[in-house]
Amino acid sequence: MYRLNPITNELEEVLETSFYKTELKERQHIEEWIRKNPEVLGEDLLVIGHEYDQFEVNERLDLLALDREGNLVIIEVKRDTTGSNVDYQALKYASYCARLTPQDILNIYVDYLRVHTLEIDAKDSMLEFLNLDSDEELNTILNNNQRIIIVGKEIDKRILSVCTWLYEKNIDIKCITIKPYKIDNHIIIDTNQIIPPYKLEDYYISKKAVAKERQIRIDQSVTEFLQRVSDFINSKTDYRVRYGGKRDYFGGRQFLGLPWYFIFAYKKKDNIATMFIESDKEQGVELIKKASEKIDELRNLLGHEVELTRGTRNTELFKLIVKVNFNQDQSIDSCVEQFTTAFVRYKKFLEQIV
């Protein structure tokens, strides 16, 4: 690294130093830089945990984050040289984190916000970061995969070899150097992603995207049904939804200004479409329970099965589910009309309850 001397028009070398010499600490400084500005790692991350140590074993994870896909990102930081076992350490943490449920992740984030006295609603923050509208979407997208980022001034050659091999085997792992340079009385910090190299990463990301697209491809009739339901709701009612076309469900916005969200789904193999209102907030749950007191009236109004259920992973979540059964030979026009008619009636019923 060089700086230009404008007087002599010469490049002057900027000398690399070490965190040890500059008395910069791993926890108090480097982790704090990343915690407050995770973009220094070259991507959008939401830090949800710092020095997390609530595993069954007595070990501490430096930083835990979410990426834009809802994957957990384990960030291991070493002040100067990483040493030869940080890869194993990071893999251990990734295996521990693979068992975390969406509720576990939310609890970790709540504790993190409390410790750092951040006046932020944990769930709303995650929904906003992931660009989601409902708890159902959040529960579906969270922690489908785990990623690793190793950060240090120098990455041990043995670590580089292992990480390269892991990345080529589709384990999402990065090695990023973070180096201090001294200019007069100032410290300049430079970061550089060395594994995978950016061009190689672009190749692998494209390759993985193709594989993922193949995995999430759904029946065309499901896509058409849900798209037509979405179009009807947005054009014929005052409620608003969004369907991306790649899943067998979609969610809507907050309903009636309350902590309620509609979710719509279609399981082609069962020939059943469902719609339900859900909430895990006290006000929303109370109103759902109030509506369920008239569940027989709602069944008669809709002519479909209705049930009150409780979340399995998040036991504070309640849903009032309407199940619409279709005949095997029923046309898609008829299915859409039957389902949207039920939605209009269900929506009106809930509005009257409120």
Side-chain angles (χ1 to χ4, degrees):
M1 182 181 292
Y2 297 86
R3 69 171 176 176
L4 175 65
N5 185 323
I7 297 175
T8 64
N9 193 31
E10 293 178 349
L11 293 178
E12 299 175 349
E13 184 177 4
V14 177
L15 297 178
E16 183 179 332
T17 182
S18 70
F19 291 115
Y20 175 78
K21 289 180 181 178
T22 53
E23 297 185 346
L24 293 170
K25 307 297 184 183
E26 183 177 306
R27 295 188 188 182
Q28 295 94 319
H29 296 104
I30 304 175
E31 288 182 15
E32 281 295 296
W33 302 339
I34 297 172
R35 184 183 73 79
K36 294 176 179 178
N37 300 97
E39 61 272 14
V40 301
L41 299 182
E43 60 178 294
D44 290 334
L45 296 172
L46 176 67
V47 175
I48 63 169
H50 183 210
E51 297 188 1
Y52 179 71
D53 61 357
Q54 297 303 306
F55 299 118
E56 292 181 4
V57 293
N58 187 26
E59 294 180 285
R60 178 187 63 83
L61 190 160
D62 293 338
L63 290 160
L64 186 64
L66 290 175
D67 67 13
R68 290 289 188 182
E69 299 297 317
N71 301 313
L72 281 181
V73 183
I74 293 87
I75 304 169
E76 275 299 294
V77 179
K78 298 300 175 187
R79 185 171 71 160
D80 285 302
T81 302
T82 59
S84 61
N85 67 346
V86 68
D87 52 347
Y88 175 65
Q89 187 177 22
L91 286 168
K92 278 195 304 181
Y93 292 149
S95 71
Y96 301 157
C97 289
R99 304 169 190 169
L100 296 175
T101 66
Q103 187 60 49
D104 293 332
I105 294 167
L106 180 61
N107 292 340
I108 290 170
Y109 192 27
V110 168
D111 288 342
Y112 169 81
L113 295 173
R114 176 182 55 79
V115 168
H116 293 283
T117 61
L118 299 172
E119 298 297 324
I120 298 171
D121 183 274
K123 185 181 293 182
D124 289 346
S125 175
M126 286 197 292
L127 287 169
E128 181 179 358
F129 177 75
L130 297 170
N131 195 27
L132 301 175
D133 295 320
S134 69
D135 292 355
E136 187 74 13
E137 285 185 296
L138 186 62
N139 289 336
T140 300
I141 199 174
L142 277 181
N143 203 20
N144 288 323
N145 196 16
Q146 300 78 43
R147 300 175 50 215
I148 296 169
I149 299 178
I150 295 173
V151 182
K153 179 178 176 291
E154 301 288 344
I155 310 293
D156 187 282
K157 288 192 298 183
R158 292 164 291 184
I159 301 299
L160 294 177
S161 176
V162 171
C163 291
T164 299
W165 181 80
L166 287 170
Y167 195 86
E168 290 175 349
K169 296 299 180 182
N170 288 329
I171 302 299
D172 202 329
I173 188 167
K174 287 184 178 181
C175 291
I176 296 176
T177 58
I178 180 167
K179 296 185 176 184
Y181 293 82
K182 194 167 184 178
I183 302 179
D184 299 328
N185 294 322
H186 300 283
I187 301 296
I188 304 298
I189 303 298
D190 181 47
T191 62
N192 183 34
Q193 179 178 309
I194 54 176
I195 288 184
Y198 287 111
K199 289 184 179 179
L200 180 63
E201 182 183 27
D202 290 342
Y203 167 74
Y204 275 109
I205 287 174
S206 298
K207 188 175 179 182
K208 289 177 182 178
V210 171
K212 185 176 181 181
E213 183 67 26
R214 289 171 181 163
Q215 290 175 359
I216 63 175
R217 187 176 295 152
I218 61 174
D219 191 295
Q220 183 63 35
S221 62
V222 173
T223 301
E224 183 180 356
F225 172 82
L226 292 177
Q227 187 62 62
R228 290 178 61 175
V229 169
S230 171
D231 292 343
F232 174 90
I233 293 172
N234 287 326
S235 62
K236 302 297 184 181
T237 77
D238 58 0
Y239 191 57
R240 292 295 174 264
V241 297
R242 182 184 63 193
Y243 178 54
K246 292 185 177 180
R247 296 175 179 171
D248 59 2
Y249 71 91
F250 66 90
R253 299 287 183 181
Q254 197 175 58
F255 182 49
L256 299 178
L258 299 167
W260 277 3
Y261 298 88
F262 264 112
I263 305 295
F264 307 87
Y266 181 27
K267 302 297 182 184
K268 179 66 182 298
K269 65 177 182 178
D270 300 322
N271 233 18
I272 295 175
T274 59
M275 68 185 85
F276 54 89
I277 200 80
E278 70 169 19
S279 182
D280 61 358
K281 305 293 185 184
E282 183 177 355
Q283 182 188 19
V285 169
E286 286 180 1
L287 287 169
I288 287 175
K289 290 180 177 179
K290 180 180 177 182
S292 70
E293 293 173 0
K294 298 184 177 182
I295 200 166
D296 289 335
E297 179 183 333
L298 182 58
R299 287 193 187 107
N300 292 332
L301 174 68
L302 302 180
H304 301 295
E305 181 182 350
V306 183
E307 63 178 2
L308 176 68
T309 66
R310 194 170 189 170
T312 52
R313 288 192 262 188
N314 178 5
T315 56
E316 296 181 357
L317 182 70
F318 283 79
K319 308 174 185 179
L320 190 59
I321 304 175
V322 176
K323 296 183 178 181
V324 180
N325 290 273
F326 301 130
N327 298 324
Q328 193 68 37
D329 56 351
Q330 194 169 348
S331 70
I332 190 168
D333 289 338
S334 175
C335 291
V336 171
E337 182 179 2
Q338 185 179 357
F339 189 78
T340 53
T341 298
F343 168 70
V344 171
R345 293 174 179 174
Y346 185 26
K347 178 176 174 290
K348 186 175 181 180
F349 172 84
L350 293 172
E351 290 169 339
Q352 292 173 342
I353 291 292
V354 175

